[in-house]
Amino acid sequence: MTEPADATPGGVYSSKGKAYTRDTRYLTTRIMRSVAPGEDAVLVEPGRFRLIAARACPWANRAIIDRRLLGLEDALSIGFPGPTHDADSWTFDLDPGGVDPVLGIHKLKDAYLRRDPDYPRGITVPAIVDTTTGAVVTNDFAQITLDMSTQWVEYHRPGAPDLYPLAQREEMDQVMRYIYTEINNGVYRAGFAGTQEAYNAAYDRLFTALDWAEERLSGRRFLMGGAITEADVRLFTTLVRFDAVYHGHFKTNRTKLTEMPALWAYARDLFQTPGFGDTVDFEQIKQHYYIVHRDLNPLQIVPQGPDLSGWLSEHGRDALGGAPFGAGTPPEPVRPEERAPHSILTC
């Protein structure tokens, strides 16, 4: 995500003397298997849409992971903006000439303006763009990944996991809402607090939630039981950034992830599972937060640490049973053109 003009980078409104509020007004057009008359939706069509998802962004990282796990590479192309951007837009700095090879644009903002020439809000990722018009269809990050599971079913790979199992949805929705408000958003609430009081409250609220997750994961391999679901994808993208960025940059420093035994083992279990760690680029993550957030880091110095070798260490979570993909199978190796440039994985 990025920001409107009156917000700090990351889509988070913040000013001195105020607690933070996230702008949650998104383009909510859906891409669906079938569309009823008058519904704000377009039909799924393989090859027509392009997912724009920066590796640096935790919200976009969710969509990158789901696309990998479900095997949607042939149905939904992907473009990767660079990790840094100005106040105007995410940009395609990693592509030759700084231009997305499919959309033919340098700034993602151009696709938003194709949708609405007077678009007033932040230029956020992930976004799905209609390649036939060049316009953004949706940037509703939470719905994008749920629709990947439920609306793109005909294009899932054989053996794709069920990331949003019908029998668990009621509990899952509650778990995911809690993870979003208290953990995913909680780190930002602390990092962009405008007063000491707001920071203290955000800090306490975040670690209350992390303690809940630590307890929940002490007796089960994944959040919903023995197999990976969308809930795990959503928690993972915050955990994988915790020690590298949030612990220091956002002052969420009661404990490191490496000091929370169940969460650290759980995060390593996911990281070493195909589809998770192979989407992560720690270098881009650090560059984004430490360079773009000039209000928090005015000199834009990017720390060299932390040591990342622990992510590849034995996690021991197999002892809890279950199978990451349930009755399914792991995805194929990452395609060469989609590999994270600074991945710490060798496969």
Coordinates of all heavy atoms in Angstrom, one line a residue, residues 51 53 55 60-78 80 145 148-149 155-161 163 228 230 233 236 270-280 325 329-340 343 345 347:
L51 N -1.9 -8.8 -11.9 CA -1.7 -8.5 -10.5 C -0.5 -7.6 -10.3 O 0.6 -8.0 -10.8 CB -1.6 -9.7 -9.7 CG -1.2 -9.6 -8.2 CD1 -2.3 -8.9 -7.4 CD2 -0.9 -11.0 -7.6
A53 N 1.9 -6.2 -7.6 CA 2.2 -6.5 -6.2 C 3.7 -6.3 -5.8 O 4.5 -7.1 -6.3 CB 1.8 -8.0 -5.9
R55 N 6.9 -6.7 -3.7 CA 7.4 -7.7 -2.7 C 7.6 -7.0 -1.3 O 7.5 -7.7 -0.3 CB 8.7 -8.3 -3.1 CG 8.6 -9.1 -4.4 CD 9.9 -9.8 -4.7 NE 9.9 -10.4 -6.0 CZ 9.4 -11.6 -6.2 NH1 8.9 -12.3 -5.3 NH2 9.5 -12.2 -7.4
A60 N 0.5 -6.8 -0.2 CA 0.7 -7.3 -1.5 C 1.3 -8.7 -1.5 O 1.0 -9.6 -2.3 CB 1.6 -6.4 -2.4
N61 N 2.2 -8.9 -0.5 CA 2.8 -10.2 -0.3 C 1.8 -11.3 -0.1 O 2.0 -12.5 -0.6 CB 3.8 -10.2 0.9 CG 4.8 -11.3 1.0 OD1 5.6 -11.3 1.9 ND2 4.8 -12.2 0.1
R62 N 0.7 -11.0 0.5 CA -0.4 -12.0 0.6 C -0.8 -12.5 -0.7 O -1.0 -13.7 -1.0 CB -1.6 -11.4 1.3 CG -1.5 -10.9 2.7 CD -2.8 -10.3 3.1 NE -2.9 -9.8 4.4 CZ -4.0 -9.3 5.0 NH1 -5.1 -9.3 4.3 NH2 -4.0 -8.8 6.2
A63 N -1.1 -11.6 -1.7 CA -1.5 -12.0 -3.0 C -0.5 -12.7 -3.8 O -0.8 -13.7 -4.5 CB -2.0 -10.7 -3.8
I64 N 0.8 -12.4 -3.6 CA 1.9 -13.1 -4.3 C 1.9 -14.6 -3.8 O 2.0 -15.5 -4.5 CB 3.2 -12.4 -4.0 CG1 3.2 -11.0 -4.5 CG2 4.4 -13.2 -4.6 CD1 4.4 -10.2 -4.1
I65 N 1.7 -14.7 -2.5 CA 1.7 -16.1 -1.9 C 0.6 -16.9 -2.4 O 0.7 -18.0 -2.8 CB 1.7 -16.0 -0.3 CG1 3.1 -15.5 0.2 CG2 1.5 -17.4 0.3 CD1 3.1 -15.1 1.7
D66 N -0.6 -16.3 -2.3 CA -1.8 -17.1 -2.7 C -1.8 -17.5 -4.2 O -2.1 -18.6 -4.6 CB -3.1 -16.2 -2.5 CG -3.6 -16.3 -1.0 OD1 -2.7 -16.7 -0.2 OD2 -4.7 -16.0 -0.8
R67 N -1.3 -16.6 -5.0 CA -1.1 -16.9 -6.5 C -0.2 -18.1 -6.7 O -0.5 -18.9 -7.5 CB -0.6 -15.6 -7.2 CG -0.4 -15.8 -8.7 CD 0.1 -14.5 -9.3 NE 0.5 -14.6 -10.7 CZ 1.7 -14.9 -11.1 NH1 2.7 -15.1 -10.1 NH2 2.0 -15.0 -12.3
R68 N 0.9 -18.1 -5.9 CA 1.8 -19.2 -6.0 C 1.2 -20.5 -5.5 O 1.2 -21.6 -6.1 CB 3.1 -18.9 -5.1 CG 4.1 -18.1 -5.7 CD 5.1 -18.9 -6.5 NE 5.9 -19.8 -5.7 CZ 6.2 -21.1 -5.9 NH1 5.6 -21.7 -6.9 NH2 6.9 -21.8 -5.1
L69 N 0.6 -20.5 -4.3 CA 0.0 -21.7 -3.7 C -1.1 -22.3 -4.6 O -1.2 -23.5 -4.7 CB -0.6 -21.4 -2.3 CG 0.4 -20.9 -1.2 CD1 -0.3 -20.6 0.1 CD2 1.4 -22.0 -0.9
L70 N -1.9 -21.4 -5.2 CA -3.0 -21.9 -6.0 C -2.6 -22.2 -7.4 O -3.4 -22.8 -8.2 CB -4.2 -20.8 -5.9 CG -4.7 -20.6 -4.5 CD1 -5.7 -19.4 -4.6 CD2 -5.4 -21.8 -4.0
G71 N -1.4 -21.8 -7.8 CA -1.0 -22.1 -9.2 C -1.7 -21.3 -10.2 O -2.0 -21.8 -11.3
L72 N -1.8 -20.0 -10.0 CA -2.5 -19.1 -10.9 C -1.6 -18.4 -11.9 O -2.0 -17.4 -12.6 CB -3.4 -18.1 -10.1 CG -4.6 -18.6 -9.4 CD1 -5.2 -17.5 -8.5 CD2 -5.6 -19.2 -10.4
E73 N -0.3 -18.8 -12.0 CA 0.6 -18.1 -12.8 C 0.2 -17.9 -14.2 O 0.5 -16.9 -14.8 CB 2.0 -18.8 -12.7 CG 2.7 -18.7 -11.4 CD 2.4 -19.8 -10.4 OE1 1.3 -20.5 -10.6 OE2 3.2 -20.1 -9.5
D74 N -0.4 -19.0 -14.8 CA -0.8 -18.9 -16.2 C -2.1 -18.1 -16.4 O -2.3 -17.5 -17.5 CB -1.0 -20.3 -16.8 CG 0.3 -21.0 -17.0 OD1 1.4 -20.3 -17.2 OD2 0.3 -22.3 -17.0
A75 N -2.9 -18.0 -15.4 CA -4.2 -17.3 -15.5 C -4.1 -15.8 -15.2 O -4.8 -15.0 -15.7 CB -5.2 -18.0 -14.6
L76 N -3.2 -15.5 -14.3 CA -3.1 -14.1 -13.8 C -1.6 -13.7 -13.8 O -0.8 -14.1 -12.9 CB -3.7 -14.1 -12.4 CG -3.7 -12.7 -11.6 CD1 -4.5 -11.7 -12.3 CD2 -4.1 -12.9 -10.2
S77 N -1.3 -12.8 -14.7 CA 0.1 -12.4 -14.8 C 0.4 -11.5 -13.6 O -0.5 -11.0 -12.9 CB 0.4 -11.7 -16.1 OG -0.2 -10.4 -16.2
I78 N 1.7 -11.2 -13.4 CA 2.1 -10.4 -12.2 C 3.2 -9.4 -12.6 O 4.1 -9.7 -13.5 CB 2.6 -11.3 -11.1 CG1 2.7 -10.5 -9.8 CG2 3.9 -12.0 -11.4 CD1 2.9 -11.4 -8.6
F80 N 5.9 -6.5 -10.7 CA 6.5 -6.2 -9.4 C 7.1 -4.7 -9.4 O 8.1 -4.5 -10.0 CB 7.7 -7.1 -9.2 CG 7.3 -8.6 -9.0 CD1 7.5 -9.5 -10.0 CD2 6.6 -9.0 -7.8 CE1 7.1 -10.8 -9.9 CE2 6.2 -10.3 -7.7 CZ 6.5 -11.2 -8.7
T145 N -7.5 -11.7 -2.3 CA -7.0 -13.1 -2.0 C -8.1 -14.1 -1.7 O -8.0 -15.2 -2.1 CB -6.0 -13.1 -0.8 OG1 -6.7 -12.4 0.3 CG2 -4.8 -12.3 -1.1
M148 N -9.3 -15.1 -5.1 CA -8.4 -16.0 -5.7 C -8.7 -17.5 -5.3 O -8.7 -18.4 -6.2 CB -6.9 -15.8 -5.3 CG -6.3 -14.6 -6.0 SD -4.5 -14.4 -5.4 CE -4.0 -13.0 -6.4
S149 N -9.1 -17.7 -4.1 CA -9.5 -19.0 -3.6 C -10.9 -19.5 -4.1 O -11.1 -20.6 -4.4 CB -9.5 -19.0 -2.1 OG -8.2 -19.1 -1.6
Y155 N -9.1 -22.4 -12.5 CA -7.7 -22.2 -13.0 C -6.7 -22.5 -11.9 O -5.5 -22.3 -12.1 CB -7.5 -20.7 -13.5 CG -8.5 -20.4 -14.5 CD1 -9.7 -19.6 -14.2 CD2 -8.5 -20.9 -15.8 CE1 -10.7 -19.4 -15.1 CE2 -9.4 -20.6 -16.7 CZ -10.5 -19.9 -16.4 OH -11.5 -19.6 -17.3
H156 N -7.1 -23.1 -10.8 CA -6.2 -23.6 -9.8 C -5.4 -24.8 -10.3 O -5.9 -25.6 -11.1 CB -6.9 -24.0 -8.5 CG -7.5 -22.9 -7.7 ND1 -8.2 -23.1 -6.6 CD2 -7.5 -21.6 -7.9 CE1 -8.6 -22.0 -6.1 NE2 -8.2 -21.0 -6.9
R157 N -4.2 -24.9 -9.9 CA -3.4 -26.1 -10.3 C -3.9 -27.4 -9.6 O -4.6 -27.3 -8.6 CB -1.9 -25.9 -9.8 CG -1.8 -25.8 -8.3 CD -0.3 -25.6 -7.9 NE -0.2 -25.5 -6.4 CZ -0.1 -26.5 -5.6 NH1 -0.1 -27.8 -6.1 NH2 0.0 -26.4 -4.3
P158 N -3.7 -28.5 -10.2 CA -4.0 -29.8 -9.6 C -3.3 -29.9 -8.2 O -2.1 -29.6 -8.2 CB -3.5 -30.8 -10.6 CG -3.5 -30.1 -11.9 CD -3.1 -28.7 -11.6
G159 N -3.9 -30.2 -7.2 CA -3.3 -30.3 -5.9 C -3.3 -29.0 -5.1 O -2.6 -29.0 -4.0
A160 N -3.9 -28.0 -5.6 CA -3.9 -26.7 -4.9 C -4.6 -26.8 -3.6 O -5.6 -27.5 -3.4 CB -4.6 -25.6 -5.7
P161 N -4.1 -26.2 -2.5 CA -4.7 -26.3 -1.2 C -6.0 -25.5 -1.2 O -6.3 -24.6 -1.9 CB -3.7 -25.7 -0.3 CG -3.0 -24.7 -1.1 CD -2.9 -25.3 -2.5
L163 N -7.6 -22.9 0.7 CA -7.1 -21.9 1.6 C -8.3 -21.3 2.4 O -8.0 -20.5 3.4 CB -6.3 -20.8 0.9 CG -5.0 -21.2 0.2 CD1 -4.4 -20.0 -0.5 CD2 -4.1 -21.8 1.2
I228 N -2.5 -25.5 6.1 CA -2.4 -24.0 5.8 C -3.7 -23.5 5.3 O -4.4 -24.1 4.5 CB -1.3 -23.7 4.8 CG1 0.1 -24.0 5.4 CG2 -1.3 -22.3 4.3 CD1 1.2 -24.1 4.4
E230 N -5.8 -19.4 4.5 CA -5.6 -18.0 4.3 C -5.2 -17.2 5.6 O -4.5 -16.3 5.5 CB -6.9 -17.4 3.7 CG -6.9 -15.9 3.5 CD -6.0 -15.3 2.4 OE1 -5.6 -16.1 1.6 OE2 -5.8 -14.1 2.4
V233 N -1.5 -17.2 5.8 CA -0.9 -16.3 4.9 C -0.9 -14.9 5.5 O 0.1 -14.2 5.4 CB -1.7 -16.4 3.5 CG1 -1.1 -15.3 2.6 CG2 -1.6 -17.8 2.9
F236 N 1.5 -14.6 8.4 CA 2.9 -14.8 8.0 C 3.6 -13.5 7.5 O 4.7 -13.1 7.8 CB 3.0 -15.8 6.9 CG 4.4 -16.0 6.3 CD1 5.4 -16.6 7.0 CD2 4.7 -15.4 5.1 CE1 6.7 -16.8 6.4 CE2 5.9 -15.5 4.5 CZ 6.9 -16.2 5.2
L270 N 6.4 -22.1 8.0 CA 5.8 -21.5 6.8 C 6.9 -21.0 5.8 O 6.8 -21.2 4.6 CB 4.9 -20.3 7.2 CG 3.6 -20.7 7.9 CD1 2.9 -19.4 8.3 CD2 2.7 -21.6 7.0
F271 N 7.9 -20.3 6.3 CA 9.0 -19.8 5.4 C 9.6 -20.9 4.6 O 9.9 -20.7 3.4 CB 10.0 -19.1 6.3 CG 11.1 -18.3 5.5 CD1 10.8 -17.0 5.1 CD2 12.3 -19.0 5.1 CE1 11.8 -16.3 4.3 CE2 13.2 -18.3 4.3 CZ 13.0 -17.0 3.9
Q272 N 9.8 -22.0 5.2 CA 10.4 -23.2 4.5 C 9.4 -24.0 3.6 O 9.8 -24.9 3.0 CB 11.1 -24.1 5.5 CG 12.3 -23.4 6.2 CD 12.8 -24.1 7.4 OE1 12.8 -25.4 7.4 NE2 13.3 -23.4 8.4
T273 N 8.2 -23.6 3.6 CA 7.2 -24.2 2.8 C 7.1 -23.6 1.4 O 7.0 -22.3 1.4 CB 5.8 -24.1 3.5 OG1 5.8 -24.8 4.7 CG2 4.7 -24.8 2.6
P274 N 7.2 -24.3 0.3 CA 7.1 -23.7 -1.0 C 5.9 -22.8 -1.1 O 4.8 -23.1 -0.7 CB 7.0 -24.9 -1.9 CG 7.7 -26.0 -1.2 CD 7.3 -25.8 0.3
G275 N 6.1 -21.6 -1.6 CA 5.0 -20.6 -1.8 C 5.1 -19.5 -0.7 O 4.5 -18.4 -0.9
F276 N 5.9 -19.7 0.3 CA 6.0 -18.6 1.3 C 7.3 -17.9 1.3 O 7.5 -16.8 0.8 CB 5.7 -19.2 2.7 CG 4.3 -19.5 3.0 CD1 3.7 -20.7 2.6 CD2 3.5 -18.6 3.7 CE1 2.3 -21.0 2.9 CE2 2.2 -18.8 4.0 CZ 1.6 -20.0 3.6
G277 N 8.4 -18.6 1.8 CA 9.7 -18.0 1.8 C 10.2 -17.6 0.5 O 11.0 -16.6 0.3
D278 N 9.8 -18.3 -0.6 CA 10.3 -18.0 -1.9 C 9.7 -16.8 -2.5 O 10.1 -16.4 -3.6 CB 10.2 -19.3 -2.8 CG 8.8 -19.8 -2.9 OD1 7.8 -19.0 -2.8 OD2 8.6 -21.0 -3.1
T279 N 8.7 -16.2 -1.8 CA 8.2 -14.9 -2.3 C 8.8 -13.7 -1.5 O 8.5 -12.6 -1.8 CB 6.7 -14.8 -2.0 OG1 6.4 -14.7 -0.6 CG2 6.0 -16.1 -2.6
V280 N 9.7 -14.0 -0.5 CA 10.1 -13.0 0.4 C 11.5 -12.4 -0.1 O 12.4 -13.2 -0.4 CB 10.3 -13.5 1.8 CG1 10.9 -12.5 2.7 CG2 8.9 -13.9 2.3
F325 N -0.3 -28.8 3.0 CA -1.2 -28.6 1.9 C -2.4 -29.5 2.0 O -3.1 -29.7 1.1 CB -0.4 -28.9 0.6 CG 0.7 -27.9 0.4 CD1 2.0 -28.2 0.6 CD2 0.4 -26.6 -0.1 CE1 3.0 -27.3 0.4 CE2 1.4 -25.6 -0.3 CZ 2.7 -26.0 0.0
T329 N -0.8 -30.8 -2.8 CA 0.6 -30.9 -3.0 C 1.3 -29.5 -3.1 O 0.6 -28.5 -3.3 CB 0.8 -31.6 -4.4 OG1 0.2 -30.9 -5.4 CG2 0.3 -33.0 -4.3
P330 N 2.6 -29.5 -2.9 CA 3.3 -28.2 -3.0 C 3.2 -27.6 -4.4 O 3.1 -28.4 -5.4 CB 4.7 -28.5 -2.6 CG 4.6 -29.9 -1.9 CD 3.5 -30.6 -2.5
P331 N 3.3 -26.3 -4.5 CA 3.4 -25.8 -5.9 C 4.7 -26.1 -6.6 O 5.7 -26.5 -5.9 CB 3.3 -24.3 -5.6 CG 3.9 -24.1 -4.3 CD 3.5 -25.3 -3.5
E332 N 4.8 -25.9 -7.9 CA 6.0 -26.1 -8.6 C 7.1 -25.0 -8.2 O 6.7 -24.0 -7.6 CB 5.8 -26.0 -10.1 CG 4.9 -27.1 -10.7 CD 5.6 -28.5 -10.6 OE1 6.8 -28.5 -10.9 OE2 4.9 -29.4 -10.3
P333 N 8.3 -25.3 -8.5 CA 9.3 -24.2 -8.1 C 9.0 -22.9 -8.8 O 8.3 -22.8 -9.8 CB 10.6 -24.8 -8.7 CG 10.4 -26.3 -8.7 CD 9.0 -26.5 -9.0
V334 N 9.5 -21.8 -8.2 CA 9.2 -20.5 -8.7 C 9.8 -20.4 -10.1 O 10.9 -20.9 -10.4 CB 9.9 -19.4 -7.8 CG1 9.6 -18.0 -8.4 CG2 9.4 -19.6 -6.4
R335 N 9.0 -19.8 -11.0 CA 9.5 -19.6 -12.4 C 10.7 -18.6 -12.3 O 10.7 -17.6 -11.5 CB 8.4 -19.0 -13.2 CG 7.2 -20.0 -13.4 CD 6.1 -19.5 -14.2 NE 5.0 -20.5 -14.3 CZ 4.0 -20.4 -15.1 NH1 3.8 -19.3 -15.8 NH2 3.1 -21.4 -15.1
P336 N 11.7 -18.8 -13.2 CA 12.9 -18.0 -13.1 C 12.6 -16.5 -13.2 O 13.2 -15.7 -12.5 CB 13.7 -18.5 -14.3 CG 13.3 -19.9 -14.5 CD 11.8 -19.9 -14.2
E337 N 11.7 -16.1 -14.0 CA 11.4 -14.7 -14.2 C 10.6 -14.1 -13.0 O 10.5 -12.8 -12.9 CB 10.6 -14.4 -15.5 CG 9.1 -15.0 -15.5 CD 9.0 -16.5 -15.9 OE1 10.1 -17.1 -15.9 OE2 7.9 -16.9 -16.2
E338 N 10.2 -14.9 -12.1 CA 9.4 -14.4 -10.9 C 10.2 -14.6 -9.6 O 9.6 -14.4 -8.5 CB 8.1 -15.1 -10.8 CG 7.1 -14.7 -12.0 CD 5.7 -15.3 -11.8 OE1 5.4 -15.9 -10.8 OE2 4.9 -15.2 -12.8
R339 N 11.4 -15.1 -9.7 CA 12.2 -15.3 -8.4 C 12.5 -14.0 -7.7 O 12.8 -13.0 -8.4 CB 13.5 -16.0 -8.8 CG 13.3 -17.5 -9.1 CD 14.6 -18.1 -9.5 NE 14.4 -19.5 -10.0 CZ 15.3 -20.2 -10.7 NH1 16.4 -19.6 -11.1 NH2 15.0 -21.4 -11.1
A340 N 12.4 -14.0 -6.4 CA 12.8 -12.8 -5.6 C 14.3 -12.6 -5.8 O 15.1 -13.5 -5.6 CB 12.5 -13.1 -4.1
S343 N 16.4 -13.5 -2.6 CA 15.9 -14.6 -1.8 C 17.1 -15.3 -1.0 O 18.1 -15.5 -1.6 CB 15.2 -15.6 -2.6 OG 14.8 -16.7 -1.9
L345 N 16.7 -18.3 0.0 CA 16.5 -19.7 -0.3 C 17.3 -20.1 -1.5 O 17.4 -19.3 -2.4 CB 15.0 -20.0 -0.5 CG 14.1 -19.8 0.7 CD1 12.6 -19.9 0.3 CD2 14.4 -20.9 1.7
C347 N 16.5 -22.8 -3.4 CA 15.7 -23.5 -4.4 C 14.8 -22.6 -5.1 O 14.5 -21.5 -4.6 CB 15.0 -24.6 -3.7 SG 13.9 -24.1 -2.3

